Each structure stands twice: as C-alpha cells, then as structure tokens.
Amino acid sequence: MYKLATLLFLLCLTFKLSAQPQLESLAKQELTRYTMLNKQSSKRSNQGNIDLIHVRLQLQPNMSNGRIDDGRVTLTFKTTADISRLEIDLRKELKVDSVIYHGNKLMYAHNFTHLLTFNFPSVILSGQIDSVTVFYNGTPNMSTRAYFRDVNASGPSISTLSQPYGAHYWWPCRENLIDKIDSIDFLLNVDTPYFAVANGKLKSVNSNGNKRMFHYSHRYPIVNYLVAVSFSRYNIYKDTVKLLSINKDLDVIHHVFPHNDDAVNRKRTSETGPMIHLFDSLFGEYPFSKEHYGHAQFSWSGGMEHQTMSFMSNFDYDLIAHELGHQWFGDKITCATWKDIWLNESFATYTNLLCYDYLKPDAEWINQLKSFKDDVLSEPDGSVYAKDTSNVDQLFSYRTTYQKGALVLHQLRWLMGDSSFFQGLRNYLNDNDLKYGFAGNLAFKLHMEEVSGLDLDDYFNDWIFGEGFPTYDITWSQSGKKLKLKISQKTSHTSVKTFNVPLPLNFVGNNKNLNVRVPVTDTVFNVEYEVDFKVKSLETDPREWLLARFTQHFTLSEASGLTIYPNPFGDLIYINAEDFEVLSYEIYDLTGRLESNGDFGLGIAKGDFGTINTHSMADGVYFIRIIGKQQTVVKKIVKQSIK
C-alpha cells in the first residue's frame, strides 16, 4: 500500500487545540519525530493471512533505565488462508529469547528490516484457530518516543505512543489498518511504588515480593496503534457519569502525577463529565460503556486517544474534548487508510468545537469558529483528503486536516440541518459493517446522503477532495418592498469552479430582521426578496456556518444622495455627493471591460462636487460605479460627443 519509510510514524499525536503558538510547536515536534523515523525505515509484515482474535501481553519494565526485562506476547489468530510461515513486526533492538508453538520452540529469523519470521511444522489450513508466543527483552529505541522513559517531579515514568506504526518498537505485533485485535489482556509487572495503566478494565492487582502485577482486560476490538501502557507514580481518583443513552453509570478514572494533583487540575478533569453527556446524546452510546473512560498523564506533549484511556500531557479543556471525541471517531471507527485521516482528526476537532457550541457561552462558540476560519482562509489551497501520504506537511497540516476538515463538517451540518446531520453521524457510527472496524470517506458520505436525501457528490468533490474556498461579492439595493441582490463568486483554487452551499444572509432594519438561505446557482446570479421594512444593513453568514469570504456593496438610487450629470454627457461627468462621501470611480463598457478608473484625491465630501474627464473614451453606452465609504452606486451612462 505504501512504504513505511514514507508513512509517518506520527500519524498523529493529537494536537492540543488552544493558542496558535502551541499548535505550531506541536506540529514541529511531529515533523521532528517523523524525520527521525524516516531514517529508521522498515518493511511491514505480510498482512492478509491471519485475523487476530486475542493478544496476551505480559511486560516487566525496568523503571531505572526503561529496559523491558521480561516481555511475553501470545497471539491467538484465525487463518484467512493456508499458511506455513508467519511474519511479526518487532524492532531489531529487542532480543527474541524464543518463539513457542504448541509447547515447542520454533526456529526464527529476526532481520534488519525489523521482521520476526518463523515457519510452522506443518501447514495451518484456512479457517483454523491457533496461537504462538514470543518471549523477548531489551531496551527499545526511544528516539521516536513510541516507547519512552522520562523523569518528572514525581519520579520516573514509562509510556507509549504508537500511532501509526510504533507498536512494534515495544511489542511483537502486526502493524496494519485492516485487522483489529478482537480482545486483549495485559499482565504488567512493575516495582511496588509504581502504578501500571493500560486499555480496558483493571481486573486485579497482585503483590509479588517488591513488585505488583496489574491485570487489565479489554473486550472491544482495538487497532494496534491504540494499544498502550504507562508506568508511573500516580494519584488516582474517579468521577461517575450517567450515560443517558443506556441509563448506566460510567466511571471516569484519572491518573495524575502526584505533583500535578491539585484543585485546579481536579476542576479541569471534572469537565470531562459534561462532555461525555454531550457526545453520548449527539453521537450515541459511549463506545466502551462496559468498561470505563479515563486519563493517564504522561510526559510527552499533547495527548493521544488510547482506547478507554487517553494519555495526556495536561488537562487543557480543548485537549480533553479532542481526545474524548476520538473514542467515537478514530477508536470505535478507524480510518481505513491514512489518506482518510480526516475521518479521525477532522471529526475529533469538530467534537471539540461542539463543546463550545453546547457547553460554553455563545460568544466563545462564535469566536472559536472565527479563529478557525481565519487560519483556514489565510492560504488559498489545501485539501482535507490527504492525497499524498508521503508528504508529511500535507498529512499533518493543522490548517487542513484538522481545522478545515472540522469546518467542512460544520458547513455540512448547515447544509443538512441539525436533525439529519447528527442522525447521519449516529447511523455511521452504528453501522454493523463499520462499528469497531474501519471506514473510508465513501461509507461516511453514503450515510449522510441516506438520511438527508441529498446527493453529496459535488460537496465531497469540492470540499474534501478539492482545494480552496469561495469569495462572494454581494451587491444589493432596495426599492420599496423589493430587495434585489446580485451575487458573484470567485474561488481561491482552480480545482473547484463553483462552490454551491446556500448562503446564510440576514437583512437588518429598525427592530426587524429577515434571515434568508440563498441557493447558489451559478458563479454570477441575481435573486430578489420581498421585505416589509427598510433594510439598514446586510449581515453575511452571521452564525459563521460557511468557510467563505464575503464582500458587499449597497447600491443607492440617485434620489438617495448622489447625482451624476449630464447624461448623455460629452467629455466631462459631474458628481454631486449630496448625502455620502465619494472615494473613487470605475467605468465599464457593456462587455464588462474596464475603460477608466480613478479616485478623487481626498474624496468628495458630502455636499461637494467632483469631475471625471472621459476625453479618451469613444461614444457609447457604459456603466459607472461610484464607490463610497459605506455604499456603492452603479448607473448606466451614455457618452455622446457634441458635433
């Protein structure tokens, strides 16, 4: 499918969604980690011949130096083809003691491409269930921080962050996006002062001399990169949240470094509960409701959405929301290819925004949208879909993969309406062919089309695969009850000719307003509305639904404060600025070609006059556009030279 050398070890240490400098810092860290991995490329194992049913992972770390003193992994699998050999991904820095099959040692090869390969005594037929155990030890390569040891104010800690292909840096596995492990058990043996954390429920803790064995059990399908462990001194406390979708309590367990366990962080972690309530109501049942949700603090920047237990550097509001959202989008359903990483990251970013929509004051919600839009509109190109997964700048573009993708979902919500949009998300998440598995963009699109009745081909072509955004220029005028608009569109990138999402406009008068939803029918079109009040101003997209720019011009009649004379004219046109200040002018012929333009120095003040010399223009019919500070006048004029 692609080379690991060009596919990114860091397909996403999830971004912390707060101040821009912090985001830029995180992006740089991801690029650094990718660069390090790119120097340590390896061949991936043959992926299509087994289905992993269960993994039993036993680990004993050395807290003093990070070494794995004792590692044992039993892979229970069902064959999907006749096989006589198996390939396992495992970094060469880790030493294999033995490979045991049915109680006997197998001959194996562990080569420089970081593949562990062995032959079975006989062919295992397709459809058979079997297992093999690998015993190993050694010090993992910690340069990419897939497995890393740090020392903080509370002492040493060891944690993992394996996305996308870092799991084999610390345990023998099968790195892919085609097969989730059906269930996994962890047996984590660590010195008594320390606590072990992993995916799933803590079933038991047993003391053994100066060590304790922690048994975690996870009974949901899980992709390799979400398998995670952490060892540290932790203060542990929990909140309880009622899942209204199933009328059941859910434990939310927080593992915090002792030196960070204070009133401030306890208040921050307590905000997880309202977020779970929100997502449970919008998206459906928390995906791992038979177990729990929680946080484990680690010493790496940002966070990672490890299934049931997000690892966090801190408890920032946005980071908590983002990683929690991933439990639905990225964990329950995982992108089937890294080109569709937006199905993980754009969605989690939008869940973060939804916390502002539903849980914060309205002004904060609108400000978040404006901030995101400012970033996305700062450059004219960039697609949500990752067309080139070897291009780390494109794949990890915070502007496109995270922010633009989130705003494209927000815009789709406007197009579909809240009821259809959230029902479509629930249908997608509960599709029996997708849930706890993998999905591509087509599966998501089909669900949104089914619930809305819309054909979304153009929308996905324009906003997911296409690049850029539209700028709408709106000229409007009112005559009596008739409100006329001329709307033109320019796109920032040649990949899209016309964006066609309806425009939200609000016409405002004295104590009255009119909200309209204007269908976009062409690059230039006219539309008319009947309004029973005098319109003072036009608000374009007041609720920040669209990823677009707007300019507008209010066209006045001559009686409204401007006189242009004589008409027809000879060489000179006179401007009488009766009721507003004039800045400049443009004259066009009937084909739209600019014939003349200029300004009036410091402008023409109200009640003053200005002159335009048209000596070089031929006789004929023209349009003159008089531009003022707050309004614009467009009028047909005729040049007719005196004979």
Side-chain angles (χ1 to χ4, degrees):
M1 183 164 62
Y2 30 60
K3 296 179 180 178
L4 179 63
T6 54
L7 207 337
L8 326 84
F9 182 51
L10 347 207
L11 243 190
C12 75
L13 178 114
T14 304
F15 283 128
K16 176 182 175 182
L17 305 175
S18 53
Q20 191 65 35
Q22 293 173 318
L23 299 180
E24 292 175 357
S25 174
L26 286 171
K28 290 177 182 177
Q29 290 169 2
E30 293 217 347
L31 290 172
T32 300
R33 290 181 64 212
Y34 167 70
T35 301
M36 289 188 293
L37 179 74
N38 207 31
K39 298 176 182 177
Q40 304 170 15
S41 60
S42 57
K43 179 180 179 293
R44 295 275 56 78
S45 59
N46 176 18
Q47 302 299 340
N49 49 19
I50 67 170
D51 175 18
L52 278 172
I53 298 173
H54 182 261
V55 167
R56 184 178 185 272
L57 195 164
Q58 185 168 332
L59 208 64
Q60 180 175 303
N62 188 316
M63 297 302 295
S64 298
N65 55 27
R67 188 179 188 277
I68 296 174
D69 289 337
D70 182 12
R72 310 176 190 186
V73 174
T74 298
L75 306 176
T76 300
F77 57 87
K78 183 177 182 179
T79 55
T80 57
D82 295 352
I83 64 170
S84 59
R85 67 193 297 270
L86 196 60
E87 291 179 343
I88 301 292
D89 298 306
L90 183 66
R91 289 286 299 186
K92 194 70 173 67
E93 296 88 8
L94 298 173
K95 178 182 179 297
V96 176
D97 289 332
S98 59
V99 178
I100 304 299
Y101 177 70
H102 292 191
N104 299 312
K105 290 185 177 181
L106 296 180
M107 297 291 292
Y108 64 86
H110 194 193
N111 62 30
F112 67 94
T113 62
H114 310 293
L115 285 178
L116 171 62
T117 307
F118 45 86
N119 294 317
F120 295 106
S122 59
V123 173
I124 304 175
L125 299 178
S126 178
Q128 299 300 303
I129 295 176
D130 216 326
S131 65
V132 63
T133 301
V134 178
F135 292 78
Y136 70 103
N137 61 68
T139 301
N141 180 335
M142 301 187 197
S143 64
T144 61
R145 299 177 76 84
Y147 175 104
F148 57 96
R149 177 184 179 274
D150 281 300
V151 178
N152 57 57
S154 297
S157 67
I158 294 173
S159 302
T160 65
L161 197 166
S162 301
Q163 191 177 20
Y165 293 125
H168 74 298
Y169 274 66
W170 60 279
W171 67 283
C173 61
R174 302 262 290 177
E175 303 259 32
N176 63 67
L177 284 178
I178 60 173
D179 178 28
K180 289 190 176 184
I181 305 163
D182 292 351
S183 64
I184 186 169
D185 281 271
F186 300 84
L187 294 172
L188 307 175
N189 201 27
V190 67
D191 296 337
T192 296
Y194 304 99
F195 198 92
V197 182
N199 312 93
K201 294 189 72 171
L202 178 59
K203 305 294 287 187
S204 64
V205 181
N206 295 312
S207 296
N208 180 19
N210 64 344
K211 294 186 182 296
R212 291 186 296 176
M213 179 74 79
F214 293 78
H215 176 200
Y216 284 87
S217 176
H218 186 46
R219 291 297 178 262
Y220 290 90
I222 184 170
V223 71
N224 280 277
Y225 75 76
L226 292 174
V227 174
V229 297
S230 186
F231 306 89
S232 183
R233 288 185 173 91
Y234 282 124
N235 284 2
I236 303 165
Y237 58 93
K238 74 176 183 179
D239 301 315
T240 301
V241 179
K242 175 73 73 174
L243 298 179
L244 298 180
S245 62
I246 56 174
N247 193 31
K248 177 183 175 181
D249 288 340
L250 178 76
D251 287 338
V252 183
I253 306 172
H254 311 286
H255 304 76
V256 181
F257 294 147
H259 67 279
N260 288 143
D261 184 15
D262 54 30
V264 172
N265 278 319
R266 292 215 175 198
K267 184 178 185 301
R268 288 172 176 169
T269 56
S270 71
E271 294 181 298
T272 311
M275 296 177 187
I276 292 177
H277 275 301
L278 175 63
F279 296 168
D280 185 69
S281 67
L282 293 178
F283 312 137
E285 179 185 344
Y286 168 67
F288 313 107
S289 59
K290 294 179 181 178
E291 297 181 0
H292 62 235
Y293 183 63
H295 302 120
Q297 197 168 14
F298 73 160
S299 298
W300 183 233
S301 297
M304 181 63 204
E305 65 272 14
H306 297 134
Q307 204 156 295
T308 71
M309 185 61 64
S310 291
F311 286 10
M312 318 281 284
S313 62
N314 59 69
F315 301 106
D316 175 85
Y317 185 86
D318 295 320
L319 187 60
I320 290 175
H322 189 93
E323 307 306 352
L324 174 62
H326 267 308
Q327 301 301 307
W328 284 262
F329 302 101
D331 293 9
K332 182 178 183 180
I333 295 183
T334 307
C335 60
T337 73
W338 293 122
K339 289 185 176 182
D340 277 317
I341 187 178
W342 77 281
L343 292 174
N344 293 14
E345 294 305 334
S346 299
F347 281 65
T349 305
Y350 192 49
T351 65
N352 176 203
L353 285 177
L354 288 172
C355 288
Y356 285 87
D357 185 5
Y358 286 88
L359 303 177
K360 295 286 189 179
D362 188 66
E364 289 191 44
W365 160 237
I366 297 299
N367 284 339
Q368 285 287 319
L369 292 173
K370 287 180 177 178
S371 176
F372 270 47
K373 287 173 70 171
D374 286 346
D375 286 348
V376 175
L377 300 178
S378 65
E379 297 180 32
D381 56 0
S383 66
V384 173
Y385 185 72
K387 299 172 184 177
D388 181 6
T389 56
S390 68
N391 183 342
V392 67
D393 291 314
Q394 179 186 113
L395 195 60
F396 286 113
S397 168
Y398 182 72
R399 187 180 70 87
T400 55
T401 304
Y402 293 74
Q403 290 179 301
K404 182 178 180 181
L407 293 178
V408 166
L409 288 171
H410 180 62
Q411 188 173 254
L412 182 60
R413 178 182 165 191
W414 157 253
L415 181 64
M416 295 175 60
D418 272 21
S419 178
S420 291
F421 177 77
F422 288 112
Q423 186 61 56
L425 291 184
R426 289 190 290 272
N427 292 353
Y428 165 72
L429 288 164
N430 290 309
D431 186 327
N432 288 327
D433 293 328
L434 303 177
K435 64 182 182 181
Y436 302 106
F438 303 92
N441 70 81
L442 178 59
F444 171 67
K445 182 175 82 74
L446 290 175
H447 274 290
M448 304 311 273
E449 287 181 327
E450 181 179 19
V451 75
S452 68
L454 299 172
D455 182 342
L456 296 176
D457 283 349
D458 284 347
Y459 189 84
F460 273 65
N461 287 335
D462 292 348
W463 291 103
I464 303 299
F465 305 112
E467 301 186 43
F469 54 86
T471 296
Y472 295 102
D473 183 85
I474 303 174
T475 299
W476 63 280
S477 63
Q478 184 177 16
S479 178
K481 292 186 177 182
K482 296 295 183 183
L483 192 68
K484 297 181 179 180
L485 298 90
K486 180 179 180 181
I487 301 174
S488 63
Q489 175 187 159
K490 291 183 179 179
T491 62
S492 67
H493 193 272
T494 57
S495 61
V496 180
K497 180 182 178 181
T498 305
F499 293 95
N500 56 9
V501 178
L503 309 182
L505 305 179
N506 183 34
F507 294 96
V508 181
N510 290 329
N511 301 316
K512 288 188 176 182
N513 71 294
L514 173 67
N515 283 290
V516 296
R517 184 183 178 106
V518 183
V520 175
T521 57
D522 206 340
T523 54
V524 181
F525 62 98
N526 297 287
V527 65
E528 186 175 297
Y529 293 94
E530 185 167 313
V531 182
D532 63 358
F533 59 89
K534 181 174 176 55
V535 175
K536 298 291 187 181
S537 63
L538 168 63
E539 294 179 345
T540 54
D541 193 16
R543 300 296 299 169
E544 304 293 344
W545 285 109
L546 302 194
L547 186 55
R549 285 199 180 113
F550 290 89
T551 60
Q552 61 167 294
H553 311 278
F554 174 37
T555 302
L556 293 171
S557 67
E558 288 186 15
S560 298
L562 185 80
T563 303
I564 303 171
Y565 65 93
N567 193 15
F569 62 96
D571 286 340
L572 298 178
I573 301 173
Y574 299 95
I575 308 295
N576 181 3
E578 297 169 356
D579 199 31
F580 67 89
E581 184 177 350
V582 174
L583 300 177
S584 60
Y585 72 91
E586 297 167 350
I587 299 176
Y588 298 87
D589 67 14
L590 293 180
T591 68
R593 184 178 62 188
L594 181 66
E595 288 285 342
S596 177
N597 67 295
D599 57 41
F600 297 98
L602 298 176
I604 306 174
K606 290 182 182 180
D608 224 336
F609 293 84
T611 305
I612 301 172
N613 191 326
T614 66
H615 176 75
S616 61
M617 290 170 49
D619 286 0
V621 180
Y622 298 90
F623 288 97
I624 185 169
R625 189 168 182 246
I626 302 296
I627 302 162
K629 277 190 173 180
Q630 302 297 330
Q631 57 276 315
T632 297
V633 171
V634 178
K635 182 175 176 58
K636 184 174 7 177
I637 55 176
V638 179
K639 181 170 183 179
Q640 185 175 310
S641 299
I642 298 174
K643 302 295 184 180

